[in-house]
PDB file of all heavy atoms in Angstrom:
ATOM      1  N   LEU V 402      14.852   6.847  -4.928  1.00  0.00           N
ATOM      2  CA  LEU V 402      15.925   7.580  -4.263  1.00  0.00           C
ATOM      3  C   LEU V 402      16.739   8.307  -5.329  1.00  0.00           C
ATOM      4  O   LEU V 402      17.357   7.673  -6.197  1.00  0.00           O
ATOM      5  CB  LEU V 402      16.805   6.599  -3.482  1.00  0.00           C
ATOM      6  CG  LEU V 402      17.921   7.188  -2.622  1.00  0.00           C
ATOM      7  CD1 LEU V 402      17.360   8.117  -1.557  1.00  0.00           C
ATOM      8  CD2 LEU V 402      18.732   6.076  -1.978  1.00  0.00           C
ATOM      9  N   GLN V 403      16.740   9.624  -5.284  1.00  0.00           N
ATOM     10  CA  GLN V 403      17.355  10.423  -6.344  1.00  0.00           C
ATOM     11  C   GLN V 403      18.848  10.671  -6.129  1.00  0.00           C
ATOM     12  O   GLN V 403      19.576  10.912  -7.087  1.00  0.00           O
ATOM     13  CB  GLN V 403      16.626  11.768  -6.447  1.00  0.00           C
ATOM     14  CG  GLN V 403      15.121  11.664  -6.651  1.00  0.00           C
ATOM     15  CD  GLN V 403      14.729  11.041  -7.961  1.00  0.00           C
ATOM     16  OE1 GLN V 403      15.420  11.173  -8.965  1.00  0.00           O
ATOM     17  NE2 GLN V 403      13.619  10.316  -7.963  1.00  0.00           N
ATOM     18  N   ASP V 404      19.307  10.611  -4.893  1.00  0.00           N
ATOM     19  CA  ASP V 404      20.702  10.915  -4.562  1.00  0.00           C
ATOM     20  C   ASP V 404      21.563   9.692  -4.862  1.00  0.00           C
ATOM     21  O   ASP V 404      21.569   8.712  -4.124  1.00  0.00           O
ATOM     22  CB  ASP V 404      20.798  11.291  -3.075  1.00  0.00           C
ATOM     23  CG  ASP V 404      22.180  11.781  -2.685  1.00  0.00           C
ATOM     24  OD1 ASP V 404      23.172  11.372  -3.315  1.00  0.00           O
ATOM     25  OD2 ASP V 404      22.279  12.550  -1.705  1.00  0.00           O
ATOM     26  N   GLU V 405      22.308   9.745  -5.954  1.00  0.00           N
ATOM     27  CA  GLU V 405      23.110   8.590  -6.367  1.00  0.00           C
ATOM     28  C   GLU V 405      24.218   8.266  -5.377  1.00  0.00           C
ATOM     29  O   GLU V 405      24.536   7.092  -5.151  1.00  0.00           O
ATOM     30  CB  GLU V 405      23.696   8.837  -7.758  1.00  0.00           C
ATOM     31  CG  GLU V 405      22.640   8.886  -8.855  1.00  0.00           C
ATOM     32  CD  GLU V 405      23.235   9.029 -10.242  1.00  0.00           C
ATOM     33  OE1 GLU V 405      24.481   9.018 -10.364  1.00  0.00           O
ATOM     34  OE2 GLU V 405      22.450   9.157 -11.202  1.00  0.00           O
ATOM     35  N   SER V 406      24.795   9.285  -4.768  1.00  0.00           N
ATOM     36  CA  SER V 406      25.859   9.024  -3.794  1.00  0.00           C
ATOM     37  C   SER V 406      25.296   8.348  -2.555  1.00  0.00           C
ATOM     38  O   SER V 406      25.928   7.453  -1.972  1.00  0.00           O
ATOM     39  CB  SER V 406      26.574  10.324  -3.417  1.00  0.00           C
ATOM     40  OG  SER V 406      25.693  11.224  -2.756  1.00  0.00           O
ATOM     41  N   LEU V 407      24.097   8.729  -2.150  1.00  0.00           N
ATOM     42  CA  LEU V 407      23.450   8.083  -1.014  1.00  0.00           C
ATOM     43  C   LEU V 407      23.084   6.642  -1.363  1.00  0.00           C
ATOM     44  O   LEU V 407      23.239   5.727  -0.542  1.00  0.00           O
ATOM     45  CB  LEU V 407      22.205   8.868  -0.599  1.00  0.00           C
ATOM     46  CG  LEU V 407      21.434   8.367   0.622  1.00  0.00           C
ATOM     47  CD1 LEU V 407      22.334   8.249   1.843  1.00  0.00           C
ATOM     48  CD2 LEU V 407      20.238   9.277   0.917  1.00  0.00           C
ATOM     49  N   SER V 408      22.624   6.419  -2.591  1.00  0.00           N
ATOM     50  CA  SER V 408      22.332   5.055  -3.042  1.00  0.00           C
ATOM     51  C   SER V 408      23.569   4.174  -2.950  1.00  0.00           C
ATOM     52  O   SER V 408      23.491   3.021  -2.510  1.00  0.00           O
ATOM     53  CB  SER V 408      21.819   5.074  -4.487  1.00  0.00           C
ATOM     54  OG  SER V 408      20.595   5.741  -4.589  1.00  0.00           O
ATOM     55  N   LYS V 409      24.699   4.729  -3.361  1.00  0.00           N
ATOM     56  CA  LYS V 409      25.950   3.958  -3.329  1.00  0.00           C
ATOM     57  C   LYS V 409      26.347   3.611  -1.903  1.00  0.00           C
ATOM     58  O   LYS V 409      26.785   2.482  -1.611  1.00  0.00           O
ATOM     59  CB  LYS V 409      27.063   4.781  -3.993  1.00  0.00           C
ATOM     60  CG  LYS V 409      28.420   4.088  -4.058  1.00  0.00           C
ATOM     61  CD  LYS V 409      28.376   2.847  -4.936  1.00  0.00           C
ATOM     62  CE  LYS V 409      29.767   2.360  -5.297  1.00  0.00           C
ATOM     63  NZ  LYS V 409      30.627   2.041  -4.164  1.00  0.00           N
ATOM     64  N   VAL V 410      26.173   4.546  -0.993  1.00  0.00           N
ATOM     65  CA  VAL V 410      26.488   4.294   0.413  1.00  0.00           C
ATOM     66  C   VAL V 410      25.618   3.163   0.963  1.00  0.00           C
ATOM     67  O   VAL V 410      26.103   2.271   1.669  1.00  0.00           O
ATOM     68  CB  VAL V 410      26.277   5.596   1.234  1.00  0.00           C
ATOM     69  CG1 VAL V 410      26.201   5.296   2.728  1.00  0.00           C
ATOM     70  CG2 VAL V 410      27.403   6.588   0.954  1.00  0.00           C
ATOM     71  N   ILE V 411      24.355   3.195   0.630  1.00  0.00           N
ATOM     72  CA  ILE V 411      23.441   2.159   1.112  1.00  0.00           C
ATOM     73  C   ILE V 411      23.773   0.807   0.488  1.00  0.00           C
ATOM     74  O   ILE V 411      23.792  -0.225   1.170  1.00  0.00           O
ATOM     75  CB  ILE V 411      21.985   2.562   0.811  1.00  0.00           C
ATOM     76  CG1 ILE V 411      21.611   3.794   1.649  1.00  0.00           C
ATOM     77  CG2 ILE V 411      21.016   1.416   1.094  1.00  0.00           C
ATOM     78  CD1 ILE V 411      20.361   4.487   1.189  1.00  0.00           C
ATOM     79  N   GLU V 412      24.035   0.795  -0.811  1.00  0.00           N
ATOM     80  CA  GLU V 412      24.403  -0.448  -1.493  1.00  0.00           C
ATOM     81  C   GLU V 412      25.644  -1.070  -0.858  1.00  0.00           C
ATOM     82  O   GLU V 412      25.703  -2.287  -0.637  1.00  0.00           O
ATOM     83  CB  GLU V 412      24.655  -0.170  -2.974  1.00  0.00           C
ATOM     84  CG  GLU V 412      23.402   0.141  -3.761  1.00  0.00           C
ATOM     85  CD  GLU V 412      23.696   0.621  -5.166  1.00  0.00           C
ATOM     86  OE1 GLU V 412      24.881   0.572  -5.579  1.00  0.00           O
ATOM     87  OE2 GLU V 412      22.754   1.038  -5.862  1.00  0.00           O
ATOM     88  N   ASP V 413      26.648  -0.247  -0.562  1.00  0.00           N
ATOM     89  CA  ASP V 413      27.886  -0.759   0.038  1.00  0.00           C
ATOM     90  C   ASP V 413      27.629  -1.317   1.437  1.00  0.00           C
ATOM     91  O   ASP V 413      28.197  -2.347   1.821  1.00  0.00           O
ATOM     92  CB  ASP V 413      28.941   0.347   0.093  1.00  0.00           C
ATOM     93  CG  ASP V 413      29.481   0.710  -1.282  1.00  0.00           C
ATOM     94  OD1 ASP V 413      29.248  -0.064  -2.234  1.00  0.00           O
ATOM     95  OD2 ASP V 413      30.107   1.785  -1.406  1.00  0.00           O
ATOM     96  N   ALA V 502      26.484   4.205   8.070  1.00  0.00           N
ATOM     97  CA  ALA V 502      27.027   4.591   6.757  1.00  0.00           C
ATOM     98  C   ALA V 502      26.539   5.974   6.348  1.00  0.00           C
ATOM     99  O   ALA V 502      27.300   6.774   5.797  1.00  0.00           O
ATOM    100  CB  ALA V 502      26.624   3.547   5.725  1.00  0.00           C
ATOM    101  N   LYS V 506      28.846   9.345   5.770  1.00  0.00           N
ATOM    102  CA  LYS V 506      28.811  10.061   4.492  1.00  0.00           C
ATOM    103  C   LYS V 506      28.840  11.566   4.728  1.00  0.00           C
ATOM    104  O   LYS V 506      29.422  12.311   3.957  1.00  0.00           O
ATOM    105  CB  LYS V 506      27.536   9.680   3.738  1.00  0.00           C
ATOM    106  CG  LYS V 506      27.338  10.418   2.413  1.00  0.00           C
ATOM    107  CD  LYS V 506      26.058   9.986   1.737  1.00  0.00           C
ATOM    108  CE  LYS V 506      25.841  10.725   0.424  1.00  0.00           C
ATOM    109  NZ  LYS V 506      25.622  12.168   0.602  1.00  0.00           N
ATOM    110  N   GLY V 507      28.237  12.017   5.832  1.00  0.00           N
ATOM    111  CA  GLY V 507      28.245  13.440   6.170  1.00  0.00           C
ATOM    112  C   GLY V 507      27.297  14.277   5.333  1.00  0.00           C
ATOM    113  O   GLY V 507      26.548  13.773   4.525  1.00  0.00           O
TER     114      GLY V 507
END
Side-chain angles (χ1 to χ4, degrees):
L402 185 60
Q403 305 295 328
D404 187 332
E405 293 184 4
S406 64
L407 183 55
S408 295
K409 181 64 165 58
V410 164
I411 293 165
E412 289 171 8
D413 289 346
K506 177 180 179 294

